[in-house]
Amino acid sequence: MPHIITQSCCNDASCVEVCPVDCIHPRPDERGFASAEMLFIDPQACVDCGACIPVCPVDAITTSDQVDERNAVFVDINAVLAAGNSPTPVDRPSRLQVHEVGPLRVAVVGAGPAGLYAADHLLTETGVTAEVTVIDRLPSPWGLVRAGVAPDHFTTRNVTDVFRGTASRPGFAYRLGVEVGRDVTHEQLLEHHDAVIYAYGASGDQRLGIPGEDLPGSHPAVELVAWYNGHPDYADHTFDLSAERAVVVGNGNVALDVARILAMDPERLAGTDIADHALEALRASRVREVVVLGRRGVDHAAYTVPELHGLTQIGDVRLELDGPLTPSADLDAVATLKRRLLADGVAATRGHDSRAIVLRFLRSPLEVLGSDRVEGVRLVRNELVAGPDGVARAKPTGDVEDLECGLVIRAVGYRGKALEGLPYDDARGVVPNENGRVLGADGSPLPGTYVTGWIKRGPSGVIGTNRHCARETVDQLLADARAGLLAGPKSRDSAGFESILAGAAGPVVDREGWDRIDDAERSAGEASGRPRVRFVTVADLQAAAGV
Ligand code: NAP
């Protein structure tokens, strides 16, 4: 029976590297990889060797005869994606290098997937000797894998096993609880390292720019997601869940995560690692209908096939579409698949009466209504017009309506922030760079300074996309090292750098300290039948680390 890739696919393409018959696509060297919604296995080419199963970090691969009911539709999804695929290789420079490099001292700023994949590439590259110190402002690592992935997506969090492997490699060190700009400057990092790779993500949010956006009860998704995942910055936030209807603006995967968490029976989350304060609040929630607004049409939504399927797998929640799916010509394989999943999801959940997620397309919010808190949203119906690039754009008609609700979540994208000492492109919310080399004001590379992940390319792609993004950045860094373009640190003695960190605002957590936090959270989880029980304040994390 051919193998298939299922819902939790993280696109890191470890499976591609071990496939002996090249039946998994798109490969990182094929066009479309960076924007792929998921990878798939061509059922005609698969020889059932099973080599891909153990290397998948998120247990997404199985055989079509062993797939569970929840993932059964992925037999078809793999076949449909394979049928619509025509692999086109892209030109990539050869990575074959003969010069030995090192020892290199590299600081990585940001302990999320992008930073940890970069660390892993440096520590595993043949011919390279490196010491990598991964810095993060929180006492805990893993970035959005810890603070972004929705708690009901527990298999996705298995990717942390990869990060544990990276952290146990010789030459790796964590320095957690250290904030660049507060505790150490960019110049100090460069003085003590051959290179610095910034991987600090995109922790801000895009604004809607409409009246009422900042009324109490209107929040960016960034805050709600961080809150239910126990991020210390948001642990004491409150969200008013007392009204029956919530509105989520945006049509990406974050919008669907938020809609699911708000709509589903909280008892389904009780066995996950959701933050205790969020579980308690969701248990008391009166929200019964979540309306998700897409400004463009059903065929333009940014959410991916696996996440759309996930929307129909949350128990007693009815999926509703606002209006019929009118036929449309010239749809590609993915758009056709999404229409089918939507139609099937609506049919399969009809009759689930207690809770609902309603997808409304071609609607934009004009104003968040309310005098001293959110009471509703004024919406305008849009029509689609082709932009100069041929891409469909939303154009408001005069057709306006008010929708009552008590909570508005703005899930219209994350946004990178500037960091002191680094250039910043405010229009794009990224650090200006060429393939990961940070560019100065005159457009030339800043020696020894690199970026990877969302602060390099913007908030796009799924977890594994960062593995290949980091590969590109590390390749530039190593090319510069081979070409003698890294000035090198003033001192290779780590004591000088450690003495700077000793003056940090709070105690520094190293790998052993993080292991103690991790063990304590997991032991507490084991005792209550959950993967972990999270510490949600910096003080509690530090106490568990023993610092
Ligand atoms: P996203 O995928 O970029 O989606 C943003 C959505 O907001 C789009 O539907 C966009 O519509 C809409 N939007 C933007 N400005 C708007 C406005 N002014 N009014 C109304 N709608 C507006 O961003 P995201 O959902 O934050 O996700 C970020 C990245 O994380 C994505 O790559 C996503 O796949 C990834 N992620 C993955 C998972 C997962 O794999 N499980 C989970 C969460 C996030 P237009 O298309 O019309 O611009």
Side-chain angles (χ1 to χ4, degrees):
M1 281 290 169
H3 287 60
I4 56 165
I5 300 183
T6 63
Q7 193 193 348
S8 55
C9 178
C10 72
N11 290 30
D12 91 335
S14 306
C15 51
V16 170
E17 288 160 23
V18 298
C19 177
V21 293
D22 199 12
C23 71
I24 307 178
H25 301 278
R27 299 162 39 114
D29 60 355
E30 285 170 0
R31 211 166 290 289
F33 173 78
S35 57
E37 300 204 352
M38 60 175 288
L39 307 187
F40 58 87
I41 294 178
D42 180 346
Q44 306 298 329
C46 175
V47 292
D48 293 341
C49 70
C52 50
I53 290 180
V55 299
C56 176
V58 288
D59 303 325
I61 307 181
T62 183
T63 58
S64 47
D65 59 341
Q66 286 184 346
V67 65
D68 57 26
E69 198 187 332
R70 178 186 164 88
N71 279 306
V73 67
F74 282 89
V75 176
D76 254 13
I77 290 176
N78 278 249
V80 168
L81 293 176
N85 183 51
S86 43
T88 321
V90 284
D91 288 337
R92 288 264 162 85
S94 161
R95 299 197 52 253
L96 188 63
Q97 299 287 351
V98 287
H99 299 51
E100 300 249 319
V101 177
L104 287 177
R105 277 175 60 84
V106 180
V108 174
V109 179
L116 291 171
Y117 282 128
D120 203 69
H121 289 315
L122 282 163
L123 293 169
T124 55
E125 182 76 6
T126 308
V128 174
T129 317
E131 278 174 29
V132 182
T133 301
V134 177
I135 293 167
D136 201 289
R137 72 183 187 87
L138 288 182
S140 53
W142 303 346
L144 282 183
V145 171
R146 184 170 161 93
V149 170
D152 58 330
H153 281 173
F154 35 86
T155 46
T156 304
R157 288 208 214 274
N158 289 348
V159 72
T160 53
D161 288 344
V162 174
F163 304 152
R164 283 196 189 89
T166 299
S168 63
R169 293 191 190 285
F172 182 97
Y174 271 139
R175 292 292 178 265
L176 306 171
V178 174
E179 186 169 332
V180 176
R182 181 191 67 180
D183 301 319
V184 60
T185 64
H186 171 58
E187 288 69 31
Q188 287 173 319
L189 287 172
L190 270 185
E191 273 172 23
H192 293 272
H193 298 87
D194 293 280
V196 187
I197 301 178
Y198 286 94
Y200 63 90
S203 58
D205 60 286
Q206 297 284 0
R207 305 272 304 165
L208 284 172
I210 59 172
E213 182 170 16
D214 295 316
L215 272 176
S218 165
H219 310 264
V222 179
E223 290 180 5
L224 184 80
V225 169
W227 169 76
Y228 62 60
N229 277 320
H231 190 297
D233 290 357
Y234 300 94
D236 57 0
H237 272 46
T238 51
F239 296 87
D240 185 345
L241 306 175
S242 62
E244 287 222 347
R245 183 183 292 128
V247 167
V248 178
V249 184
N251 252 193
N253 281 340
V254 170
L256 296 201
D257 279 349
V258 164
R260 262 192 350 269
I261 298 296
L262 287 175
M264 72 164 61
D265 177 349
E267 294 319 314
R268 293 179 73 94
L269 294 166
T272 72
D273 61 357
I274 188 169
D276 289 344
H277 56 244
L279 184 59
E280 203 181 307
L282 289 166
R283 278 181 166 142
S285 166
R286 295 220 193 105
V287 174
R288 292 294 175 270
E289 181 185 278
V290 182
V291 178
V292 181
L293 300 176
R295 66 177 167 183
R296 296 190 291 154
V298 64
D299 302 315
H300 309 100
Y303 50 66
T304 56
V305 165
E307 292 313 300
L308 178 55
H309 172 62
L311 210 54
T312 63
Q313 305 294 305
I314 47 173
D316 195 20
V317 179
R318 192 173 67 253
L319 180 62
E320 270 182 37
L321 272 184
D322 175 42
L325 278 172
T326 46
S328 172
D330 300 330
L331 293 180
D332 64 14
V334 172
T336 308
L337 191 55
K338 283 182 176 170
R339 277 177 166 246
R340 202 189 89 195
L341 289 172
L342 272 177
D344 290 353
V346 169
T349 59
R350 197 167 286 141
H352 293 182
D353 284 335
S354 56
R355 295 153 182 272
I357 293 176
V358 182
L359 302 184
R360 298 191 78 178
F361 297 100
L362 293 170
R363 297 290 194 296
S364 286
L366 287 179
E367 181 176 351
V368 179
L369 304 169
S371 41
D372 50 12
R373 55 152 300 101
V374 169
E375 290 166 20
V377 192
R378 180 154 298 152
L379 303 178
V380 62
R381 182 189 286 273
N382 296 324
E383 59 185 2
L384 292 174
V385 290
D389 50 4
V391 174
R393 292 205 159 73
K395 181 175 168 224
T397 65
D399 188 357
V400 173
E401 67 179 304
D402 290 351
L403 182 66
E404 210 177 296
C405 67
L407 180 72
V408 172
I409 302 295
R410 296 154 0 228
V412 295
Y414 286 61
R415 182 174 164 79
K417 293 180 175 173
L419 189 74
E420 201 180 308
L422 278 190
Y424 180 67
D425 177 346
D426 191 39
R428 293 185 56 222
V430 299
V431 171
N433 72 93
E434 190 173 35
N435 303 328
R437 285 187 179 104
V438 174
L439 302 177
D442 64 354
S444 58
L446 293 183
T449 311
Y450 302 85
V451 274
T452 191
W454 279 7
I455 197 59
K456 167 186 174 186
R457 63 175 200 276
S460 65
V462 292
I463 295 167
T465 315
N466 295 299
R467 181 165 175 245
H468 301 279
C469 184
R471 173 80 273 163
E472 181 186 58
T473 295
V474 167
D475 282 351
Q476 309 304 312
L477 188 160
L478 294 177
D480 291 348
R482 289 186 175 101
L485 296 174
L486 303 181
K490 275 191 192 156
S491 153
R492 291 195 172 272
D493 174 11
S494 59
F497 185 56
E498 294 300 326
S499 73
I500 295 172
L501 300 190
V508 178
V509 174
D510 60 10
R511 202 194 84 197
E512 289 71 25
W514 161 243
D515 286 347
R516 284 191 283 276
I517 299 173
D518 195 21
D519 287 349
E521 287 191 340
R522 291 205 284 173
S523 308
E526 222 168 275
S528 50
R530 301 167 63 183
R532 71 174 62 232
V533 176
R534 288 159 179 270
F535 297 112
V536 300
T537 65
V538 167
D540 285 349
L541 287 160
Q542 289 169 343
V547 294

